[in-house]
Amino acid sequence: MSKREEYLEISKEITKLVGGMDNIQGTAHCATRLRIVLQDDSKADLKKLEDVSKVKGAFIAGNQLQLIFGAGLVNDVYEVFAEYTHTQNMSLGDLKEQSAKKQNPVQAVVKALSDVFIGIMPAILAAALLMGLTGVLGNLEIVKNNETLYALNKLTSLASTGIFAILPIAVCYSAVKRFGGNPVLGMVMGAIMLDSSLANAYSVGAGTVEPEVLHLFGLNVALVGFQGGIIIALMMGFVVAKLDLFFNKKVPDAIKLLLAPMLTVFLSTVLLFTCVGPMGRILSNGITGGLVWATEHLGVFGYALFGGLQQIIVITGLHHIIGAVEAQLIATTGLNFINPLMSVALMGQGGAVLAYLALNWKNVKARELCIPSFCSTLFGISEPAIFGVNLRYRYPLAGGCIGGAVGGIYVYFANLTSLGFGTTALPGIAIVNPENNGYVNYVIAHILALAGGFICAAFLGKIMGKKEEPAEELQPEIQPDAQQQFTGTIELMAPANGRVRPVAFIYPGGHALGLELEDGSAVLLHCGVDTVNLRGKGFTVLVKEGQRVAAGELLLRFDKQLIEKEGYSTELLMIISEVAEGRSLKIVDLDGMADHAVVAVLL
């Protein structure tokens, strides 16, 4: 069977298990998951979807059914699935619009925040990587004493600070774009927030500068800049977008180009200094202050709690909001202690996956599921591990949480921090703060989390877990028990769609399969007439000799067109060669089978 044929069968099975074509509103895919928006989510059989070939996990999040296939494979499966369901022209953005219609307010806010930071994440990651590099190079004597190396390091330092200097502009731009307004107006508003005529927010906070105060309708408006105002930039992006949409709708076309953007920028500026800015400062200070308070007062317990529970937040989808908090934390303090905690939390779940794999190593399906899932955690992607293994079997999730807590404890005592956000696990080492042996401590923290998750999940698995039976191992032949009596009807299912013809004779030779029932009854399935002459050409056997099969299980495929082109009949012969004493036969239809596949027929 070709890959495309295999993916087509997978597509058909998925379509059936989600409630049919009529229940599919749209499809798209991300790096690892096939995403489907359904008319009615309750029609999706998640348990059976998890058992579909190649699927490593199935769950509903963000009003989307998400099937985990893994990087690379998901692209190929999506291509066939989208063609089969006639949704190939839908983009991920279109899918988000469809799913957004079904979101509650909390989900909508979380999703919007995630979308805002997706666009600027590459710049933040680049800056963080460069910041980590210059931090290491700046301490080397050879760099300090060599003019060229010193110059290169100086340029690296400049490159690393650029995005953080204009982060409010970037965030406001991205937010306006996300909420449907003209993103250039967001850029203008971000520039107003950082205008050089305003008193620097950090200098005002340090008490070294006194800002100018305006009196507007009885209100005292301090002209202070919004350096580091990430939360405020998010809020202003929403305001600018909504005002832009409003004025473009209300202002007459003849003067729209002139008047609409002017009104948007002016009114947004007034709102920035009178209400949005002050409220945003209170919210920002509350978030940052709360996190700092937790680290100072909850100490190691707070770190352990975060490291243990962060991946539970991933299950809810609320983890996307953490990016905004991290950005605000970096803008305020220059460091990010959340990133290494998120990273060890993820690694704890990776250790739990390895524990489940070790307990079920003989199970082929477990190996296919766990190995790529663990590899994904090494590169900062936890969804295959969480949804494909740990949440599915429960005890690995608990063990992984304990492992994350162990890693969090070490992060606390090592005073481990990052210079950026957005990447964890192996890639995350590039943005580690090198101070206090940061790189070494980062590795140790992850090893402890991995080991903790493995040991705890393995222990819980021994107590609570049930080993999976090997899914693809050959089963020993079952010999009829001489003392056991079999009675009743043997139901024979049609091996393929088509007309049923009486068999008057049997051609010698041919491609055939024999099936034996526990009572000794036997059936021969013969594919075509004289097809033995093809020497296997056009036939794909999907089972092995001695393997137990169930009704409806696929046994072999054959290329009908090829066989007919070679001049042979494609009729299927089902010959009952032996029936146990006391048994009768009954023919049962099997709907939905193609006429080029042979399935098990004995119940």
Side-chain angles (χ1 to χ4, degrees):
M1 187 195 319
S2 68
K3 289 292 185 181
R4 186 172 183 82
E5 289 175 333
E6 182 182 7
Y7 299 154
L8 181 58
E9 290 300 321
I10 291 173
S11 300
K12 290 178 179 179
E13 190 172 0
I14 291 173
T15 301
K16 179 180 178 182
L17 293 175
V18 300
M21 291 277 195
D22 293 339
N23 198 38
I24 298 176
Q25 290 185 301
T27 61
H29 73 91
C30 58
T32 60
R33 286 165 281 171
L34 175 65
R35 298 168 177 255
I36 309 172
V37 174
L38 303 176
Q39 184 74 30
D40 184 356
D41 293 340
S42 65
K43 292 183 179 180
D45 191 330
L46 295 180
K47 185 173 180 59
K48 290 185 178 180
L49 282 166
E50 289 181 339
D51 294 328
V52 173
S53 176
K54 307 295 184 183
V55 173
K56 301 178 177 65
F59 60 96
I60 293 177
N63 290 303
Q64 298 173 13
L65 169 64
Q66 302 188 23
L67 303 178
I68 303 170
F69 283 96
L73 175 61
V74 69
N75 301 69
D76 299 331
V77 173
Y78 166 76
E79 181 180 349
V80 177
F81 183 80
E83 181 179 340
Y84 177 70
T85 56
H86 308 294
T87 55
Q88 60 264 51
N89 295 322
M90 174 170 279
S91 67
L92 189 56
D94 296 331
L95 190 76
K96 290 176 180 178
E97 290 182 10
Q98 287 288 340
S99 60
K101 297 175 182 178
K102 302 169 63 179
Q103 290 179 339
N104 60 44
V106 174
Q107 291 174 323
V109 170
V110 171
K111 189 66 180 66
L113 290 177
S114 173
D115 291 342
V116 168
F117 282 95
I118 285 175
I120 60 177
M121 189 62 69
I124 294 174
L125 286 176
L129 292 171
L130 291 170
M131 189 176 294
L133 179 62
T134 189
V136 173
L137 295 177
N139 294 321
L140 300 178
E141 289 298 324
I142 189 174
V143 175
K144 295 178 181 178
N145 298 327
N146 184 284
E147 290 184 349
T148 299
L149 293 178
Y150 176 83
L152 289 173
N153 187 49
K154 185 66 175 179
L155 293 174
T156 302
S157 178
L158 288 172
S160 69
T161 58
I163 183 63
F164 296 111
I166 64 162
L167 196 52
I169 298 178
V171 171
C172 198
Y173 171 91
S174 184
V176 174
K177 182 179 180 181
R178 167 59 181 79
F179 293 116
N182 183 346
V184 175
L185 297 182
M187 188 182 298
V188 171
M189 183 52 53
I192 293 171
M193 292 175 63
L194 301 178
D195 191 280
S196 60
S197 65
L198 302 173
N200 185 280
Y202 299 126
S203 299
V204 172
T208 58
V209 172
E210 191 70 25
E212 180 183 358
V213 178
L214 301 180
H215 303 284
L216 180 65
F217 302 117
L219 296 174
N220 293 328
V221 179
L223 297 182
V224 181
F226 295 91
Q227 289 79 10
I230 309 305
I231 301 297
I232 299 173
L234 281 169
M235 296 168 67
M236 286 307 304
F238 178 81
V239 170
V240 171
K242 296 306 176 184
L243 288 175
D244 182 42
L245 293 172
F246 174 79
F247 288 124
N248 273 285
K249 183 178 180 180
K250 298 297 183 181
V251 175
D253 291 341
I255 56 174
K256 181 181 295 185
L257 183 61
L258 175 66
L259 196 58
M262 182 192 73
L263 292 173
T264 298
V265 171
F266 175 74
L267 189 54
S268 296
T269 303
V270 173
L271 292 174
L272 170 65
F273 287 96
T274 57
C275 58
V276 177
M279 286 193 305
R281 278 199 172 99
I282 294 173
L283 181 59
S284 300
N285 292 336
I287 292 174
T288 306
L291 289 171
V292 173
W293 180 90
T295 59
E296 292 177 349
H297 293 80
L298 297 180
V300 66
F301 175 76
Y303 275 67
L305 189 66
F306 191 99
L309 298 182
Q310 190 272 336
Q311 286 294 301
I312 301 296
I313 300 175
V314 172
I315 297 174
T316 68
L318 294 174
H319 63 294
H320 293 297
I321 201 171
I322 298 178
V325 178
E326 290 182 281
Q328 185 63 58
L329 192 63
I330 292 173
T332 305
T333 67
L335 297 173
N336 177 11
F337 66 87
I338 294 178
N339 184 260
L341 285 175
M342 293 174 63
S343 193
V344 295
L346 178 147
M347 197 51 56
Q349 298 299 325
V353 170
L354 290 182
Y356 179 82
L357 176 61
L359 293 176
N360 299 278
W361 180 255
K362 292 183 179 180
N363 185 294
V364 177
K365 181 72 173 178
R367 295 201 296 269
E368 292 177 350
L369 186 65
C370 292
I371 293 174
S373 295
F374 172 72
C375 291
S376 293
T377 65
L378 294 179
F379 294 93
I381 302 173
S382 66
E383 284 87 348
I386 289 291
F387 294 104
V389 181
N390 297 356
L391 181 61
R392 184 177 183 182
Y393 300 106
R394 293 179 177 82
Y395 73 84
L397 180 66
C401 288
I402 297 173
V406 172
I409 292 172
Y410 189 84
V411 170
Y412 171 80
F413 286 113
N415 194 25
L416 186 61
T417 57
S418 293
L419 301 173
F421 70 97
T423 184
T424 53
L426 287 179
I429 197 170
I431 61 172
V432 169
N433 181 8
E435 295 181 1
N436 303 317
N437 295 315
Y439 297 119
V440 174
N441 287 325
Y442 186 86
V443 173
I444 294 174
H446 284 69
I447 292 175
L448 289 175
L450 182 73
F454 180 90
I455 294 171
C456 293
F459 176 76
L460 293 174
K462 290 289 186 180
I463 299 174
M464 305 164 52
K466 179 181 178 182
K467 290 187 179 181
E468 298 290 321
E469 293 298 324
E472 298 183 18
E473 301 275 340
L474 292 182
Q475 302 293 329
E477 291 188 25
I478 298 178
Q479 300 296 334
D481 189 344
Q483 303 298 320
Q484 187 176 2
Q485 298 297 320
F486 293 91
T487 61
T489 301
I490 300 173
E491 294 187 343
L492 298 177
M493 303 175 110
N497 287 339
R499 291 183 298 167
V500 178
R501 294 182 176 181
V503 178
F505 52 87
I506 302 174
Y507 286 91
H511 205 88
L513 287 171
L515 296 99
E516 185 177 0
L517 200 60
E518 291 184 17
D519 65 358
S521 300
V523 175
L524 178 68
L525 294 176
H526 193 290
C527 305
V529 179
D530 280 347
T531 48
V532 67
N533 297 326
L534 293 175
R535 301 182 181 275
K537 183 179 179 182
F539 291 92
T540 303
V541 180
L542 304 176
V543 292
K544 298 177 181 179
E545 187 175 345
Q547 179 177 337
R548 297 189 67 185
V549 295
E553 187 169 343
L554 207 55
L555 304 179
L556 68 85
R557 295 182 182 279
F558 59 89
D559 190 330
K560 182 180 177 183
Q561 293 180 346
L562 183 148
I563 294 172
E564 291 177 340
K565 184 178 179 180
E566 294 288 340
Y568 296 100
S569 169
T570 58
E571 290 180 337
L572 297 178
L573 308 178
M574 182 168 66
I575 301 98
I576 295 83
S577 58
E578 186 174 353
V579 178
E581 185 178 352
R583 301 282 252 172
S584 59
L585 298 176
K586 177 184 177 182
I587 303 296
V588 181
D589 290 335
L590 182 63
D591 295 332
M593 292 307 303
D595 59 1
H596 57 283
V598 175
V599 297
V601 296
L602 289 174
L603 289 179

